[in-house]
Amino acid sequence: TRWFASYPAHEVVGMPSLSPTMESGTVSEWIVAEGSSFAAGEVICSVETDKATVDFEAQDDGVVAKHLVEAGSGEIPCGTPIMVTVEEEGDVSAFKDFVAEILEPEAAAPPAVEAPPAVAPTPSPVAAPTPAAAASSGERVIASPRAHTLAKEKGYGEIFALRIVGTGPGGRIVAQDVLEYDPSTVPAVAAAAE
């Protein structure tokens, strides 16, 4: 996910790893059309894997700004951009000519490897050092547009500076993670990271 200065707040969504063995998939059908809004838990598209056709559900509310791949266009490696989402319908037109930056296979592989641990991230205190390590080591912090907006609305500042454990696909920070974030539990972790 990259925030380009010339575009409104958005998220470039990669092909999700919908099973522990999934390395690539095919978007068989787009359920949510470009310019249409969706709610958390709503099916955005159907993805054919090597074993089954699986629904890809939204983690947050948003609007599909652009499909980056056509339904039935063939195998797409996990992590390769498939769509752009925004929070406001008025931002959709800015992405009419958007072209995603294609990641090299090595850069796209880590989210697929991280996906299985993100399935059950219940023990928050145990996982709390992970974001601090990621932020201090310069790794990208991946968060939904809604999570970015909520962090700013709540006065937390930029999301990459927070020590939030993401519960979305691939460890992505979603709106619910920001809503459950308790800054009073962070100072010891932040001080230890510095």
Side-chain angles (χ1 to χ4, degrees):
T1 305
R2 281 219 161 163
W3 291 67
F4 298 98
S6 61
Y7 290 103
H10 66 282
E11 181 175 4
V12 177
V13 179
M15 172 63 77
S17 178
L18 299 170
S19 74
T21 60
M22 182 177 166
E23 294 179 8
S24 64
T26 301
V27 175
S28 59
E29 177 186 10
W30 286 106
I31 307 298
V32 178
E34 289 182 356
S36 297
S37 60
F38 56 86
E42 199 172 314
V43 176
I44 296 177
C45 65
S46 294
V47 176
E48 289 180 29
T49 69
D50 56 340
K51 297 180 181 157
T53 300
V54 184
D55 291 336
F56 177 34
E57 296 180 357
Q59 298 296 311
D60 283 321
D61 297 351
V63 178
V64 174
K66 182 168 185 168
H67 297 150
L68 299 174
V69 297
E70 291 185 32
S73 63
E75 291 285 313
I76 301 164
C78 290
T80 301
I82 61 169
M83 70 177 159
V84 179
T85 62
V86 294
E87 287 185 39
E88 305 295 329
E89 286 185 30
D91 294 338
V92 170
S93 62
F95 293 90
K96 181 180 80 164
D97 297 321
F98 181 85
V99 176
E101 176 182 315
I102 304 298
L103 300 174
E104 296 176 17
E106 303 86 50
V113 173
E114 293 176 315
V119 173
T122 308
S124 186
V126 174
T130 304
S136 63
S137 69
E139 291 182 31
R140 290 185 356 190
V141 175
I142 301 173
S144 71
R146 182 75 180 133
H148 280 280
T149 302
L150 277 174
K152 289 177 184 171
E153 287 174 357
K154 291 189 165 285
Y156 298 151
E158 294 296 329
I159 205 157
F160 66 84
L162 305 176
R163 285 8 182 222
I164 297 179
V165 177
T167 60
R172 182 173 73 198
I173 299 169
V174 295
Q176 191 63 35
D177 299 327
V178 176
L179 293 172
E180 294 173 357
Y181 175 66
D182 181 5
S184 67
T185 62
V186 175
V189 174
E194 293 173 1

